[in-house]
């Protein structure tokens, strides 16, 4: 029996009828950009996250970028980002003309280490972008305290964490603003590119609504130099169908993670995810760590188990960032993580029995490797 890493078709077909109805509704409405569907989803998502506003945008990268831009961050400014993240977090700072300044993560949780942030702050620092990596919230309380002490802004990168909880509050309601991606493979995924920003800040929300739409609040009146980064009606309608299913699907992911936790505990050389008691992750990914990661991945493939690596090369070693002048060894924690992490199959396409099969396969693979 094979277990695929992810099966988006199976996940979406569970709601086939409702999705088709929503798509037909948009088709027949004759209104495709910034209309009732976007408004309805924005309200539903803001209320889900517990924020005053949600602003639909084209994708997750734009969501982070537009927030930084709305705060006036630009050339000469520095933005603190995790050394261990998907490159989009860094790109958002770069697209503003600012410099991403990497800070290493906590080993156990893989998330930005608040204890290291203060040392990276300079007179040019304007903002911090903590990432809730793999679906688990970064330690936001100390990060917000540091930001308050230094007059910095904080935008959560919640691309992987729709629904995650931190000390009783949801991702999206923890920073001054939060950015979400609804890329199809995310816990809340559209059928194409989509994103949103959440915030309690009325002024920021208005500025973002203007920025995403050519800098315009009134058609053909342009107040600021804006962008075209809008969530479209079709994706909004699809997301409105999928949002009510999110908590159930996240609970299913948690059950799968519990099977992995139990069945993989104590295997030699295998490091399991660490969950501090103040978070409730949504298991966008279940990531294990092993010194012989590539051999383990190959052995699992031979046993019919799909895996992926999130991510193989840290941003500071990507050719895109050669101009920052970093070299191997500059961020050893992130580099070791990138060498050793392996994501096991995870998602609402899976049964608990399949998680058991994956766990058995990991066990067998590790015995064969030793
Ligand atoms: C941590 C993180 N930030 C940002 C993004 C960017 O999102 P998008 O692909 O929607 O631009 C992603 C997803 O791809 C991500 O995983």
């Amino acid at each position: 029996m094979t277990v695929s890493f992810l099966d988006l078709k199976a996940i979406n077909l569970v709601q086939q009828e409702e999705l088709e109805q929503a798509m037909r509704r948009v088709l027949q409405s004759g209104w495709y950009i910034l209309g009732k569907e976007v408004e309805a989803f924005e309200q539903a998502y803001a209320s889900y996250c517990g924020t005053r506003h949600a602003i639909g945008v084209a994708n997750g990268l734009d969501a982070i970028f537009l927030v930084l831009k709305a705060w006036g961050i630009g050339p000469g400014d520095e933005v603190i980002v995790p050394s261990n993240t998907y490159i989009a977090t860094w790109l958002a700072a770069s697209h503003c003309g600012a410099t991403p300044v990497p800070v290493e993560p906590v080993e156990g949780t893989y998330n930005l280490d608040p204890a290291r942030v203060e040392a990276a702050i300079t007179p040019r620092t304007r903002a911090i972008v903590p990432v809730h990596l793999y679906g688990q919230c970064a330690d936001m309380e100390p990060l917000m305290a540091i930001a308050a002490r230094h007059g910095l802004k904080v935008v959560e990168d919640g691309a992987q964490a729709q629904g995650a909880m931190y000390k009783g509050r949801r991702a999206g309601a923890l920073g001054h603003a939060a950015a979400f991606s609804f890329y199809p493979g995310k816990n809340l995924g559209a059928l194409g590119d989509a994103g949103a920003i959440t915030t309690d800040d009325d002024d920021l929300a208005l500025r973002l609504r203007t920025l995403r739409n050519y800098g315009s609040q009134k058609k053909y009146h342009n107040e600021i130099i804006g962008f075209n980064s809008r969530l479209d009606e079709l994706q909004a309608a699809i997301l409105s169908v999928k949002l009510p299913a999110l908590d159930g699907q996240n609970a299913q992911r948690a059950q799968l993670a519990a099977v992995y936790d139990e069945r993989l505990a104590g295997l030699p050389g295998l490091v399991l995810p660490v969950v501090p008691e103040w978070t409730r992750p949504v298991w966008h990914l279940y990531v294990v760590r092993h010194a012989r990661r590539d051999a383990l991945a190959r052995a699992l493939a031979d046993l019919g188990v799909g895996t992926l690596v999130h991510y193989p090369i840290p941003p500071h070693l990507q050719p895109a960032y050669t101009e920052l002048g970093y070299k191997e060894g500059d961020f050893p924690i992130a580099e070791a993580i990138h060498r050793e992490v392996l994501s096991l199959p995870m998602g609402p396409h899976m049964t608990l029995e399949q998680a058991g099969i994956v766990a058995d396969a990991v066990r067998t693979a590790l015995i064969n490797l030793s």
Side-chain angles (χ1 to χ4, degrees), residues 87-100:
I87 197 166
T89 320
W90 288 44
L91 293 177
S94 302
H95 287 323
C96 292
T99 305

Side-chain angles (χ1 to χ4, degrees), residues 158-206:
Q160 304 188 1
Q162 297 91 354
M165 302 292 286
Y166 174 85
K167 302 189 178 178
R169 283 184 298 147
R170 266 201 212 285
L174 307 170
H176 300 116
F180 290 93
S181 163
F182 304 121
Y183 180 80
K186 302 301 192 217
N187 289 35
L188 177 60
L191 303 187
D193 275 313
I197 298 147
T198 52
T199 184
D200 280 334
D201 181 336
D202 298 346
D203 293 338
L204 177 67
L206 181 62

Side-chain angles (χ1 to χ4, degrees), residues 278-356:
W278 37 259
T279 63
R280 208 176 74 212
V282 288
W283 301 103
H284 174 58
L285 296 169
Y286 188 97
V287 177
V288 297
R289 211 172 146 173
H290 193 274
R292 296 183 63 198
R293 185 264 313 278
D294 293 336
L296 175 59
R298 277 194 299 275
L300 287 172
D302 290 343
L303 292 166
V305 172
T307 60
L308 285 176
V309 172
H310 298 90
Y311 298 89
I313 305 169
H316 72 279
L317 298 178
Q318 295 283 0
Y321 278 112
T322 18
E323 70 169 37
L324 293 182
Y326 292 119
K327 57 184 186 322
E328 190 122 24
D330 283 346
F331 297 98
I333 301 179
E335 288 164 24
I337 290 170
H338 283 70
R339 270 195 302 274
E340 295 182 356
V341 286
L342 187 68
S343 306
L344 300 182
M346 171 54 75
H349 65 295
M350 280 176 69
T351 61
L352 299 185
E353 192 202 352
Q354 284 177 311

Side-chain angles (χ1 to χ4, degrees), residues 5 45 72 110 192 261 347:
F5 179 74
Y45 198 65
Y110 305 120
D261 281 347

Side-chain angles (χ1 to χ4, degrees), residues 269-280:
L270 191 74
V271 180
L272 300 185
V274 172
V275 180
E277 95 304 323
W278 37 259
T279 63
R280 208 176 74 212

Side-chain angles (χ1 to χ4, degrees), residues 12-13 15-32 37 189-192 232-242:
N12 286 320
L13 284 184
Q15 293 183 287
Q16 179 171 2
E17 221 164 274
E18 288 170 275
L19 287 170
E20 283 180 357
Q21 249 174 40
M23 289 189 267
R24 210 172 304 124
R25 187 173 71 233
V26 175
L27 173 67
Q28 289 173 351
S29 76
W31 191 276
Y32 306 113
E37 299 289 348
L191 303 187
D232 64 65
E233 289 282 284
L234 195 56
Q235 297 305 337
I238 286 160
L239 288 165
S240 290
V241 169
K242 294 188 71 178

Side-chain angles (χ1 to χ4, degrees), residues 59-61 64 85-86 88-89 131 157 159-160 181 183 186 194 311:
N59 56 64
L61 168 58
I64 315 168
T85 181
Y86 181 59
T89 320
V131 178
D157 179 343
Q160 304 188 1
S181 163
Y183 180 80
K186 302 301 192 217
Y311 298 89

